[in-house]
Amino acid sequence: MLTLPPYDGLDPFEDPLDRLLAQIAIELQLPPSLFDQAGDRYAAVRRKLEGTSAFAGLIEHFYPQGSMAIDATISIRGTDDEYDLDIVAQLGGYFRNMAPLAILIELEKALVDYPVQRITRQTRCVTLHYADKMHLDITPGVRVAGTTERESYIMHAKGPKPSHDDRLVDMNAYAFACWYQERTPLERRLAKSFDRHWRGIDEFMAKDEAEVDDVPDQMHFSVKNTATLALQLIKRFRNIRYADYSGRIPPSVVLSYYAALSARPNMRLSEMVIRIANWILRDIEAASMSGKRLHVANPMCPSDVFTDRWPQSVAQQNEFAGHLKDLVNGLEAMAKMTMAADAIGEWLREMFGDRVVTKAADSIAIRLGTAIQKVQQSYSRKGRLLVPGTGRSLSAAVAPQVAPATSAKAHTFFGVRF
């Protein structure tokens, strides 16, 4: 297979609006300490299951799915510091002949003494709840014979007793993750910059683009491209809009599908958020005009329907479309500078949540304030004074205004007071 070289991409921290959005995304990420720990827990759970008599030698594959598989994990709905990670346990042997509820119960029993705060058997998975607010969902599945790699039936059974509603659900999360990754290639400048900011290792001196080193494909970053960063922001926006909603909400996998479908390397972050939202809006409006519910399926496994449990009605999808229009209209107004400066901070809080927006603004103030103090006389090759860490001239029309780092409550960006 021909492998295309990575794109350079755009560094979102070089643009005032995109810098705000990227910093908001950083505040949503699994912290570096938990990010590293997630891999250890993933391996530990498999060792635990393989050490039991019920599962020994019967786990054919154990792999991440969903946001964990595409590096798009953010805090879950209604929280700022809880994270869901998803694992598929593909089972063989006698599990192929067991009923859905029986398999879920067997998985729960095998983990009953696992050292976590609690264990919950769900309709399609078993969840491990850790003390640090990480949740690990383990979804058991059995291979579908004669199909593409790792296509499996997963279990659907509410319990506590078998029901006529219990069933097997076709899925291929592995193939979808591969499809997503192929459509969202590495953008090396974004990846390096985001990883550096995410880990808190910032470079204050402006660098020429030619000085950006090549990024090895195998090197892991928290986010590798603009489409995934935009996806995280849309997922957060959805979480905030549905924080108090008791029913089902637009699934993350549907948002991921549209992020990959609309992905275009070398776009600005704000433009990519708008682009994904508009692609979703287009399909919802087309379905609603025909009186139909939105239908989205796994492009690598058509029987794996992502919209099988949402939307439940045309009205429900239209409600989400209305929310997306609010997001698009606001971002377009900010980009065109037609939104009043004193309204931007409040709009961002409404879209993405008060706490993360405030933290993002404080983080930028500290970073840029410290940078300005350290490199007051840093000049580009053409002699212009640069905004540290942005590579942009202070005379640029949209250069952020930065208050001293010692006064975190009195800073402004993009003409906005936070």
Side-chain angles (χ1 to χ4, degrees):
M1 179 184 296
L2 177 63
T3 301
L4 296 175
Y7 293 88
D8 278 343
L10 303 178
D11 183 347
F13 295 92
E14 293 180 353
D15 176 89
L17 173 55
D18 285 2
R19 174 186 285 270
L20 276 170
L21 294 176
Q23 190 65 45
I24 289 170
I26 283 179
E27 304 301 336
L28 306 173
Q29 303 292 317
L30 194 65
S33 59
L34 291 184
F35 187 89
D36 296 335
Q37 193 174 60
D40 296 335
R41 288 175 173 173
Y42 164 91
V45 170
R46 176 166 188 166
R47 288 195 301 270
K48 166 63 178 178
L49 290 173
E50 289 178 331
T52 64
S53 58
F55 289 86
L58 298 180
I59 299 178
E60 297 174 342
H61 292 288
F62 202 74
Y63 58 94
Q65 69 163 330
S67 298
M68 186 177 179
I70 61 173
D71 290 329
T73 299
I74 65 166
S75 54
I76 63 175
R77 178 166 51 145
T79 74
D80 293 325
D81 56 359
E82 294 186 37
Y83 306 90
D84 270 341
L85 304 177
D86 299 302
I87 300 294
V88 174
Q90 182 181 305
L91 307 174
Y94 60 80
F95 285 108
R96 295 192 183 97
N97 300 315
M98 289 177 63
L101 182 60
I103 292 179
L104 288 166
I105 290 174
E106 198 66 43
L107 179 60
E108 181 184 22
K109 286 168 54 180
L111 295 168
V112 68
D113 60 347
Y114 202 69
V116 290
Q117 281 195 327
R118 71 180 189 277
I119 299 172
T120 306
R121 175 164 48 82
Q122 315 278 13
T123 303
R124 296 186 178 183
C125 67
V126 172
T127 301
L128 302 178
H129 302 262
Y130 294 84
D132 53 22
K133 299 184 180 181
M134 185 187 293
H135 310 155
L136 189 63
D137 294 339
I138 307 167
T139 301
V142 293
R143 185 77 167 84
V144 181
T147 58
T148 56
E149 184 180 2
R150 300 196 195 182
E151 182 173 343
S152 303
Y153 289 128
I154 59 173
M155 312 301 119
H156 182 100
K158 290 185 178 181
K161 295 181 179 180
S163 164
H164 66 277
D165 290 328
D166 294 356
R167 61 186 184 275
L168 299 173
V169 178
D170 198 5
M171 75 92 194
N172 197 332
Y174 175 80
F176 175 74
C178 292
W179 176 82
Y180 181 96
Q181 291 162 359
E182 288 177 359
R183 295 189 63 90
T184 55
L186 172 68
E187 295 177 72
R188 60 181 185 173
R189 292 187 69 237
L190 178 142
K192 287 191 69 173
S193 179
F194 189 87
D195 187 71
R196 185 172 66 248
H197 283 76
W198 180 61
R199 296 182 184 277
I201 307 172
D202 203 1
E203 296 178 7
F204 295 128
M205 297 297 290
K207 286 192 173 184
D208 188 275
E209 287 189 16
E211 295 175 329
V212 176
D213 297 329
D214 288 339
V215 179
D217 289 345
Q218 71 272 18
M219 192 170 183
H220 187 85
F221 290 96
S222 50
V223 176
K224 298 182 178 68
N225 50 68
T226 307
T228 300
L229 199 56
L231 168 61
Q232 291 181 313
L233 290 168
I234 291 176
K235 286 169 61 177
R236 172 64 177 192
F237 161 77
R238 174 211 56 189
N239 289 353
I240 293 298
R241 282 299 170 101
Y242 289 91
D244 299 321
Y245 191 78
S246 59
R248 293 200 171 276
I249 66 175
S252 291
V253 69
V254 170
L255 305 182
S256 301
Y257 166 81
Y258 281 104
L261 199 65
S262 62
R264 177 185 291 176
N266 300 329
M267 285 190 72
R268 285 184 51 197
L269 176 57
S270 54
E271 292 173 346
M272 192 69 239
V273 174
I274 292 170
R275 181 176 170 84
I276 296 171
N278 279 333
W279 279 55
I280 301 171
L281 278 168
R282 179 197 64 188
D283 281 5
I284 287 179
E285 290 171 351
S288 295
M289 287 181 63
S290 300
K292 298 178 180 178
R293 290 183 295 159
L294 179 69
H295 177 86
V296 177
N298 187 337
M300 306 303 292
C301 180
S303 57
D304 181 6
V305 179
F306 295 158
T307 50
D308 62 335
R309 295 192 284 180
W310 182 96
Q312 296 172 320
S313 66
V314 171
Q316 195 175 50
Q317 68 194 26
N318 288 342
E319 179 184 28
F320 184 49
H323 294 322
L324 289 174
K325 288 177 183 177
D326 291 341
L327 178 64
V328 168
N329 291 339
L331 286 175
E332 288 181 339
M334 288 178 67
K336 296 175 183 176
M337 298 188 183
T338 58
M339 182 183 291
D342 58 1
I344 292 177
E346 186 59 33
W347 183 86
L348 286 170
R349 288 186 169 89
E350 182 183 348
M351 296 297 108
F352 302 108
D354 182 76
R355 182 181 174 190
V356 296
V357 172
T358 299
K359 286 175 65 180
D362 288 346
S363 295
I364 294 173
I366 292 170
R367 180 177 294 112
L368 293 185
T370 302
I372 288 173
Q373 292 172 8
K374 288 186 176 182
V375 290
Q376 287 286 346
Q377 303 304 315
S378 174
Y379 288 84
S380 72
R381 294 175 181 176
K382 294 183 179 180
R384 295 173 299 164
L385 183 63
L386 300 180
V387 177
T390 69
R392 301 196 65 178
S393 167
L394 283 173
S395 62
V398 294
Q401 303 169 3
V402 186
T406 55
S407 180
K409 293 184 179 180
H411 50 263
T412 61
F413 309 101
F414 203 66
V416 186
R417 184 181 181 87
F418 284 85

